[in-house]
Amino acid sequence: MSFRSAVVNAWRLSLLSIFWAVVSALVWVRGHIRLPRWLGSDSREVAVRLWTLAWLTFVWVLLWGVVSWANVIAGLVLAIAVVTLLPLPRVPVEGRIHPLSLAILVIRLLYDFAVSSFQVGWMALRPGKPPLGAVVRVRVAIKSDMVLTLAIDYLNLVPGTMVVELDHRRRLLYVHVFDVSSERRVRAFYRQVAYTEKMFIKAFERDSEWHPSPYHGIDDEERA
C-alpha cells in the first residue's frame, strides 16, 4: 500500500469516527437531557427560541459596541431572563425552509418592487384622472399563520397593493389595489397573488413536509 493510500484511508476512518461520536453524543443528549419547557416542545420551536436568544444577545452586544466575553455572557443571561419572564405568545412553527425557493421569492420581490414603484410613480405624474382603486377579496391556501403573515408583508411591501383586512379562519385577504381601471390590471393582480401564494408554499410549507404544530389553530378554538 502506498503512502497516499494510507493517508486517504486514515482520513476516511477519522471522518467515520468523528461522525459516529457526534451521532452517539446527540442520541445520548436526546435520551438523557430534557430541555426546559419554555424552550419549546418540538425541534422547530426550539430552533426559533434559540434564534431569539442569539438575536437578543447580538442586540445587547451592539448596544454596548464592544465584543467581549463579558458582554456576550451578560447578553445571553439577559436574553434568557426576557424569554423566561416576559414570554411572547407562542407562534406555531410549521414546515421547512427551502433556500433556493426563498432566494427566488426575494428576487421576485425586488423585481415587483421596482416595476410597481415605476407604475405608481407614472400614475401620479401623468395627466388625466386618478386611477380607479378598489378593495379586492382573494383567498389563499397558506396554512401556517407565520407564513401567512410573511405573505401579507410581501404584498404590503409592493407599491400599489395593501392588505386592509384578514379573515383568519377562512384565509381571505381584502387587498386595496391601486389601479383596477381595466380587466387586464385585475387579472394581473390575481396572477401576482397566485404567484406569491405558490412561492411561499414552495419556500416554507410544501404539502409533503408540512407538519402542524401543537399550537396550530389554537386561536381559532379560543375565538370559537
Side-chain angles (χ1 to χ4, degrees):
M1 180 182 297
S2 64
F3 176 75
R4 181 178 180 181
S5 299
V7 172
V8 171
N9 290 334
W11 173 250
R12 290 174 179 174
L13 289 174
S14 300
L15 288 179
L16 289 175
S17 300
I18 295 173
F19 177 77
W20 178 259
V22 171
V23 171
S24 301
L26 291 176
V27 172
W28 185 89
V29 168
R30 187 171 184 178
H32 293 79
I33 297 179
R34 290 187 176 181
L35 295 173
R37 181 175 297 180
W38 57 266
L39 198 56
S41 58
D42 60 7
S43 58
R44 293 169 296 184
E45 190 175 2
V46 169
V48 171
R49 293 283 180 172
L50 292 177
W51 166 255
T52 303
L53 293 177
W55 177 253
L56 291 175
T57 303
F58 176 72
V59 171
W60 177 261
V61 174
L62 282 182
L63 289 175
W64 283 96
V66 178
V67 180
S68 65
W69 283 110
N71 284 339
V72 172
I73 294 174
L76 181 59
V77 172
L78 183 63
I80 294 175
V82 169
V83 174
T84 305
L85 301 177
L86 304 171
L88 293 173
R90 293 185 181 272
V91 178
V93 181
E94 299 154 322
R96 292 177 55 187
I97 297 177
H98 292 266
L100 181 59
S101 298
L102 181 59
I104 296 175
L105 187 61
V106 172
I107 294 173
R108 179 58 185 261
L109 171 62
L110 297 176
Y111 172 79
D112 288 341
F113 186 84
V115 173
S116 298
S117 298
F118 176 79
Q119 292 175 344
V120 172
W122 168 247
M123 289 291 181
L125 296 176
R126 71 180 178 87
K129 295 182 179 180
L132 175 65
V135 175
V136 181
R137 183 180 65 183
V138 60
R139 185 188 299 273
V140 295
I142 297 174
K143 299 182 285 291
S144 169
D145 289 343
M146 180 179 290
V147 177
L148 180 61
T149 302
L150 294 175
I152 291 174
D153 291 339
Y154 181 105
L155 293 174
N156 289 340
L157 284 174
V158 176
T161 58
M162 176 64 68
V163 179
V164 296
E165 188 176 346
L166 165 65
D167 187 331
H168 176 267
R169 299 188 65 179
R170 294 189 294 171
R171 287 305 196 254
L172 289 176
L173 304 181
Y174 294 84
V175 187
H176 181 270
V177 184
F178 181 72
D179 184 12
V180 292
S181 56
S182 65
E183 185 177 351
R184 178 178 62 85
R185 294 190 178 278
V186 175
R187 289 198 303 266
F189 164 73
Y190 279 113
R191 285 197 302 270
Q192 178 188 3
V193 174
Y195 179 84
T196 302
E197 174 190 15
K198 180 183 70 174
M199 290 306 301
F200 268 95
I201 291 175
K202 288 182 63 176
F204 296 104
E205 55 173 46
R206 299 181 183 184
D207 291 337
S208 59
E209 300 171 348
W210 191 84
H211 303 287
S213 165
Y215 302 99
H216 181 78
I218 190 172
D219 293 334
D220 296 341
E221 296 175 1
E222 292 178 353
R223 292 190 184 100

